[in-house]
Amino acid sequence: MIYGALGLVEVLGTANAILAVDQMLKAADVRFQTWHTKCGGHTLIFMSGDVSAVAAAVDSVKGNPPCEIFNTAVISSPSQETKRLVEEFAAKQKRN
């Protein structure tokens, strides 16, 4: 898969993840890739698209948060290892 950029947003809980994903999809031309939930319920959301769209999507939840946002990041031109990590998380989600 080709990623111009990856947007990462960390929230607490699946319901909050859905709220954040919905807002980002409505704010910019981005694609939901997957999410990864760790112990304690912290969910890391992965969005992709071109750099400006991903930045706009992430900024939309930072500027008008639908829930508590713990961390955000935009990675332009992610490394092969980062892409592999996202694809592994997505494959794990499909199995569950």
Side-chain angles (χ1 to χ4, degrees):
M1 182 152 307
I2 297 173
Y3 304 96
L6 282 174
L8 289 74
V9 176
E10 182 183 4
V11 299
L12 185 61
T14 304
N16 286 332
I18 292 168
L19 290 172
V21 167
D22 182 63
Q23 183 170 325
M24 288 188 284
L25 289 170
K26 290 174 180 174
D29 185 20
V30 292
R31 180 166 183 218
F32 170 71
Q33 292 299 320
T34 191
W35 62 38
H36 181 68
T37 302
K38 294 297 281 181
C39 193
H42 283 258
T43 302
L44 184 58
I45 303 163
F46 295 86
M47 306 295 282
S48 66
D50 66 43
V51 176
S52 60
V54 170
V58 171
D59 286 346
S60 78
V61 295
K62 284 171 56 177
N64 185 23
C67 57
E68 184 174 2
I69 305 294
F70 290 93
N71 289 299
T72 64
V74 174
I75 303 171
S76 61
S77 301
S79 70
Q80 285 301 116
E81 185 67 15
T82 302
K83 293 176 192 178
R84 184 190 61 75
L85 179 69
V86 173
E87 289 166 8
E88 284 179 9
F89 287 152
K92 185 184 286 186
Q93 277 298 114
K94 287 182 182 178
R95 287 191 303 263
N96 293 334

